Amino acid sequence: MAAGGKLFGASDMTTLLLQNERFPPSSDVLDSIWAHNSNPTFPGSKSMVNFERLSGCRVTDRPFLHGMEKEETGEEDYEVCFHQAGKKRRLTSEQVQFLEKNFEVENKLEPERKVQLAKELRLQPRQVAIWFQNRRARFKTKQLEQDYGKLKASYDKLKSDHDILAKENDKLKEEVKALKNRLNAREKEKEDSHKSEGNADPGDSEAVNSAEGDQQKDGTKKEGAAPKGITVWKQQEEANSSAKSDVLDSEDTEANHHSWMQQEPAEAEAEAAEYSDFSQDEEDENLMRSNLLNLACFPKVEEDGCYDDPPEGCCNNFGFPVEDHTFCFWPY
DNA sequence: TACCTTTCCCAACTTACCTCA
DNA sequence: TGTGAGGTAAGTTGGGAAAGG
């Protein structure tokens, strides 16, 4: 039989019995009693009592232990339990391996399975239940760590993308500014030449008036003002070609440029009209937002309407596979 | 049928022990 | 050999669900 006898925390034992006046006690309570039996020096038991000495009888003489425990774990297991007496024992690697395999199959434990596993591993059912509880807790912690890592990686990538886009946006703004300055200089130059020619040839006054029509009274060109009609389109073409040859050719590809100068007349007119309603700041912000929305892989609702097939290269689910949802660990 | 009690199970947190560097 | 950190078995607490009176 067992070495060291059976130790019980007297108050705990009393509590267990008082809580369960009816016999036989529930399997839960029996599990607890079993745990105490097999682990006499259970934590926190400074008032530990050697139950055998105290009561002067064997634990197996207790009526509620008859039948049930032998039925559940068998006499052999009972003996094994007391071989573990004295100290808290770690499960053997074989036991852990077996439990792990079972955990992979199903991380919840039905009562029948618990008893069966306990029999096979020569442990108490409560030990098996506790192992599964702790294993689920460990799994959840690990899962949380992994999910945190994934989210952090996703965040870092988005942030770096954002930084790149912001830089690009700044660059484009500078470019637009330079182009506008160039355009203004050209207009001014044209105006001066017209004025000087106008004195000699008054027949050109209409053209001069037309050019002046797009300018404000203070002489500066209205920021973002949309040129209108075919005449305007010709002016755009002219400005476009000169600007392209002067600046754009040395810069990024045309696809990166968000400019009304490269659009069809009607489109340019509409967009220019829209832009004319904003201040420079709003314009910049709009541009930025447009860039982010287009480049950060979010499909436009009005264009696609359906998100079932995200565009290629799009950060679908923020980089997570669909089945890899963070907060769906356990189907309760 | 609503309410209460009991029982069971679980998650979350904590404690105590063991192992190892 | 003493010690602190990390892992793990087990205890405690509180809540939800189901069953029965």
Side-chain angles (χ1 to χ4, degrees):
Chain A
M1 193 50 187
K6 298 99 193 164
L7 295 171
F8 265 90
S11 59
D12 295 275
M13 186 63 189
T14 308
T15 307
L16 284 170
L17 293 177
L18 286 176
Q19 277 177 348
N20 298 272
E21 293 167 4
R22 295 181 301 176
F23 283 94
S26 69
S27 64
D28 203 27
V29 173
L30 284 171
D31 275 353
S32 300
I33 294 169
W34 259 108
H36 284 225
N37 269 329
S38 66
N39 188 16
T41 55
F42 59 90
S45 54
K46 284 176 182 167
S47 60
M48 212 169 288
V49 174
N50 183 316
F51 196 85
E52 193 166 37
R53 279 185 218 147
L54 181 78
S55 60
C57 66
R58 292 153 52 89
V59 171
T60 46
D61 290 337
R62 291 288 176 189
F64 60 85
L65 287 177
H66 270 311
M68 295 205 59
E69 292 310 304
K70 282 190 178 180
E71 213 174 274
E72 269 200 343
T73 64
E75 185 69 40
E76 294 167 349
D77 296 333
Y78 188 68
E79 197 169 338
V80 166
C81 291
F82 291 108
H83 280 305
Q84 295 178 348
K87 288 185 177 179
K88 187 166 145 184
R89 297 284 180 211
R90 293 212 164 193
L91 302 180
T92 65
S93 58
E94 288 79 16
Q95 285 171 325
V96 171
Q97 211 170 347
F98 193 78
L99 287 166
E100 286 284 359
K101 275 182 185 170
N102 276 273
F103 184 81
E104 281 173 22
V105 173
E106 175 65 59
N107 58 29
K108 293 275 178 168
L109 203 55
E110 281 82 34
E112 302 83 27
R113 195 157 151 253
K114 179 171 72 176
V115 172
Q116 195 189 339
L117 279 174
K119 273 184 179 174
E120 290 180 40
L121 293 168
R122 301 170 70 83
L123 295 169
Q124 306 97 51
R126 177 159 176 83
Q127 275 182 296
V128 175
I130 285 171
W131 187 89
F132 267 75
Q133 280 178 18
N134 287 324
R135 184 67 183 79
R136 281 194 294 269
R138 286 196 293 269
F139 178 77
K140 192 177 179 182
T141 305
K142 196 177 169 187
Q143 194 76 13
L144 280 172
E145 282 172 3
Q146 283 178 357
D147 289 339
Y148 172 77
K150 284 180 186 172
L151 279 173
K152 192 172 182 305
S154 176
Y155 167 79
D156 289 344
K157 185 170 185 321
L158 278 174
K159 191 173 181 303
S160 92
D161 285 350
H162 172 266
D163 291 345
I164 290 168
L165 286 172
K167 278 179 188 168
E168 197 173 325
N169 190 39
D170 288 343
K171 197 174 160 188
L172 287 170
K173 277 197 272 185
E174 288 299 317
E175 224 171 90
V176 167
K177 212 174 183 180
L179 280 170
K180 279 179 180 172
N181 288 339
R182 222 168 239 283
L183 201 56
N184 282 340
R186 251 170 222 278
E187 292 289 344
K188 186 97 177 166
E189 207 174 289
K190 238 184 213 175
E191 195 182 323
D192 291 344
S193 68
H194 279 311
K195 272 181 186 171
S196 60
E197 284 173 16
N199 292 336
D201 182 12
D204 261 341
S205 61
E206 197 179 332
V208 173
N209 288 339
S210 170
E212 284 175 347
D214 282 352
Q215 295 185 0
Q216 292 173 344
K217 288 183 178 178
D218 61 6
T220 59
K221 188 170 167 64
K222 198 175 170 183
E223 289 271 316
K228 303 200 174 183
I230 301 299
T231 319
V232 176
W233 170 242
K234 283 179 183 170
Q235 289 175 350
Q236 286 175 9
E237 281 287 301
E238 187 186 317
N240 196 7
S241 61
S242 66
K244 269 185 185 173
S245 60
D246 289 341
V247 179
L248 296 182
D249 285 352
S250 64
E251 295 297 329
D252 295 334
T253 61
E254 288 182 16
N256 286 335
H257 294 274
H258 183 86
S259 167
W260 53 265
M261 286 187 278
Q262 295 167 25
Q263 296 171 325
E264 292 299 317
E267 200 183 335
E269 190 176 342
E271 188 167 333
E274 187 187 334
Y275 271 80
S276 68
D277 291 331
F278 294 105
S279 67
Q280 181 63 44
D281 283 347
E282 286 168 329
E283 187 181 333
D284 291 346
E285 194 182 330
N286 217 32
L287 191 61
M288 171 92 163
R289 197 174 296 144
S290 165
N291 272 339
L292 279 174
L293 284 176
N294 287 329
L295 295 172
C297 317
F298 296 109
K300 285 182 181 174
V301 177
E302 66 273 19
E303 281 176 3
D304 299 322
C306 172
Y307 294 89
D308 288 340
D309 299 305
E312 201 176 344
C314 173
C315 37
N316 186 21
N317 297 310
F318 295 95
F320 290 97
V322 174
E323 68 276 14
D324 194 12
H325 288 300
T326 309
F327 301 108
C328 302
F329 306 128
W330 311 105
Y332 287 121

